[in-house]
């Protein structure tokens, strides 16, 4: 960061990290809390908006990219992670944050999630998890409880076990894993800031109620217990998860692991690439 940027950054407040677009989320949606916490974390870290990029997929929560004052891409369903990976490898000077929901990230983008965890490129992934596809009017997602009967598409439940994102991240090799709650603003902002500052792939599952299609999630507030303690011991983290009720918040796992960088491979200039793929008529 140069000194001119530092002077400029001193005047930025959390509100400066929100764009001029007004969120179109339903009033009371948990994603408002996530936007506030992201803005607070970016301000606390004094990150310059011009050096920060947010990449998102499709869904209610993926709109976050438009609402944050930074470079943003609201892209294709489930594909935030490969875009974020490519961006960080090509521009390691940028702070890259990927964001999305449980359907976007664990269904359509599930394969990318596994490989982002094991690849460990240095960016943050925020998943706003409400166990439902909100934007398409309330279908079951990969994290929906098997006995949820609220969707006309699965009126007797899904009859499939809900995916457990933290377990998945741990087994796939993610070096930073946390869970937070959208309605706990200070803890959420702190965890997001720690995830962004972490030198590697940092995954944060954010329980973020969908008050429109899962109004019963308003009761999550009473079930949250902020008692996850960070460990660098995978076994210990897995044992914690085996007893987990899905509502413990905090940093679960934080371990040193060498991050994957572009210099691990030979650089190919764009002109060389174009030549390699040239098609002769
Ligand atoms: Fe939020 Fe649900 Fe409304 Fe989407 S449908 S904006 S997730 S409350």
């Amino acid at each position: 960061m140069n000194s001119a940027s530092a002077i400029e950054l001193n005047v930025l407040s959390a509100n400066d990290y929100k764009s001029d677009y007004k969120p179109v989320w339903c009033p009371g949606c948990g994603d408002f809390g996530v936007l506030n916490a992201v803005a607070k974390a970016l301000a606390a870290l004094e990150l310059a908006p011009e050096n920060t990029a947010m990449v998102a997929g499709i869904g209610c929560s993926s709109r976050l990219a438009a609402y944050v004052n930074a470079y943003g891409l609201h892209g294709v369903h489930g594909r935030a992670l490969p875009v974020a990976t490519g961006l960080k490898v090509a521009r390691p000077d940028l702070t890259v944050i990927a964001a999305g929901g449980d359907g976007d990230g664990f269904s359509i983008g599930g394969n990318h999630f596994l490989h982002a965890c094991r690849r460990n490129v240095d960016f943050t992934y925020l998943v706003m998890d409400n166990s439902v596809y909100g934007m398409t009017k309330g279908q079951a997602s990969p994290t929906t409880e098997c006995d949820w009967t609220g969707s006309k598409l699965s009126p007797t439940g899904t009859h499939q076990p809900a995916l457990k994102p933290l377990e998945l991240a741990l087994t796939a090799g993610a070096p930073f894993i946390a869970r937070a709650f959208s309605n706990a603003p200070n803890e959420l902002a702190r965890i997001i800031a720690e995830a962004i500052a972490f030198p590697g792939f940092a995954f944060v599952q954010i329980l973020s109620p969908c008050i429109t299609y899962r109004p019963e999630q308003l009761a999550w507030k009473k079930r949250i217990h902020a008692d996850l303690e960070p460990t660098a011991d995978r076994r210990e983290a897995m044992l914690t998860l085996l007893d987990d009720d899905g509502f413990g918040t905090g940093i679960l796992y934080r371990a040193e692991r060498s991050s994957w960088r572009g210099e691990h491979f030979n650089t190919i200039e764009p002109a060389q690439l174009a030549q390699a793929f040239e098609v002769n008529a």
Side-chain angles (χ1 to χ4, degrees), residues 24-26 28-31 60-61 130 132 134-135 209-213:
V24 295
W25 293 315
C26 309
C29 174
D31 296 348
C60 297
S61 51
N130 51 22
V132 75
M135 201 171 77
C210 171
I211 55 107
T212 299
Y213 295 107

Side-chain angles (χ1 to χ4, degrees), residues 131 138-151 153-163 214:
S131 306
Q139 298 81 21
S141 85
T143 56
T144 301
E145 312 86 304
C146 66
D147 57 355
W148 182 62
T149 56
S151 168
L153 287 183
S154 49
T156 65
T158 68
H159 303 279
Q160 298 169 46
L163 189 146
R214 303 290 314 261

